Amino acid sequence: MAGETIRYAALKTIAIDFETANEQRGSACSVGLAWIEEGRVTRVEERLIRPRDMRFSGMNIAIHGIRPEHVEDAPEFPEVMDEFHEDISGATMIAHNAAFDFSVWRASLDLYRQSYPELTYLCSLKMAQRIWPHFLSHRLNLIAEHLGLRFMHHNAAEDAAVCAAAAIEMAKAVKAKAVAAIPALIGMTPGRLTARGYAPCTCRKA
């Protein structure tokens, strides 16, 4: 057990959130990241992304407020994500409704013909459904309300920060030594991204 505690403590854990310009998964227009260290959020970053196709749908703009003029001078996806390459490499990533965020990540990498990074990822939505089954909804804004956290929903940095904060509270709820230790306690199989492809994050039936 002591060996497991040391191993989990050494893992990098980063929450991530993407916003998209339109219905296409490869249209990321912003990314937010929040670092978890020793049971607290220690760093939050946000970057705007210029999509290759600068088509912004009215529905997406209504959700996140990002318009074409906000990103016209921003770097494209590969340059933005390359800034965080060392942080992400080998990390445990976490996203709320990871199926969406990781489909955006994969589609964007595919668009630029880039290989996938090597990492493990968790879905905080699935974790919350398992750990807090009594909640009427597990949407991020309602979890934040339950935890007394105020934030601007659909701002990528704030979504990532709240995802990280919620994951920390979930770790406490199941007495996990770290966020990365939660899956083993709730029957979750972490997802994986590798140069060879990906595997989804899943939970076995309760």
Side-chain angles (χ1 to χ4, degrees):
M1 178 63 81
E4 283 191 26
T5 301
I6 292 169
R7 178 166 59 85
Y8 286 130
L11 288 174
K12 296 178 289 184
T13 304
I14 306 171
I16 190 165
D17 180 83
F18 287 103
E19 301 297 331
T20 57
N22 56 60
E23 74 283 355
Q24 297 295 321
R25 290 293 195 260
S27 68
C29 61
S30 72
V31 62
L33 302 101
W35 282 253
I36 301 170
E37 297 179 35
E38 298 181 355
R40 61 192 183 94
V41 178
T42 59
R43 175 185 171 193
V44 179
E45 299 283 353
E46 180 187 13
R47 298 291 184 272
L48 292 176
I49 301 169
R50 186 174 74 252
R52 176 176 281 184
D53 176 6
M54 283 286 281
R55 178 176 62 84
F56 279 68
S57 77
M59 181 179 295
N60 290 55
I61 291 172
I63 290 171
H64 51 57
I66 301 171
R67 297 177 177 274
E69 58 267 29
H70 296 147
V71 302
E72 59 187 1
D73 295 323
E76 293 191 31
F77 187 90
E79 184 178 348
V80 170
M81 298 306 291
D82 189 58
E83 177 185 350
F84 303 109
H85 174 76
E86 291 301 320
D87 294 288
I88 289 169
S89 180
T92 296
M93 306 295 295
I94 183 168
H96 203 74
N97 189 14
F100 171 79
D101 292 284
F102 280 83
S103 69
V104 171
W105 200 341
R106 297 195 317 271
S108 299
L109 291 169
D110 292 343
L111 181 65
Y112 289 95
R113 299 181 183 277
Q114 292 193 311
S115 60
Y116 297 167
E118 298 277 341
L119 56 85
T120 296
Y121 70 90
L122 310 177
C123 178
S124 59
L125 173 60
K126 291 182 182 294
M127 286 162 46
Q129 290 169 337
R130 182 61 61 94
I131 294 169
W132 294 319
H134 56 286
F135 284 14
L136 295 179
S137 170
H138 296 89
R139 293 175 59 185
L140 189 61
N141 58 323
L142 296 178
I143 288 175
E145 183 179 331
H146 180 83
L147 297 176
L149 302 172
R150 298 182 64 183
F151 77 123
M152 185 184 300
H153 197 15
H154 296 300
N155 170 277
E158 297 206 16
D159 281 6
V162 167
C163 172
I168 290 166
E169 292 304 313
M170 284 186 261
K172 293 176 182 177
V174 297
K175 296 181 171 53
K177 297 293 185 181
V179 171
I182 294 173
L185 300 173
I186 65 169
M188 171 177 277
T189 300
R192 285 285 298 162
L193 275 186
T194 73
R196 297 177 301 280
Y198 75 98
C201 176
T202 60
C203 277
R204 67 170 178 259
K205 294 182 178 180

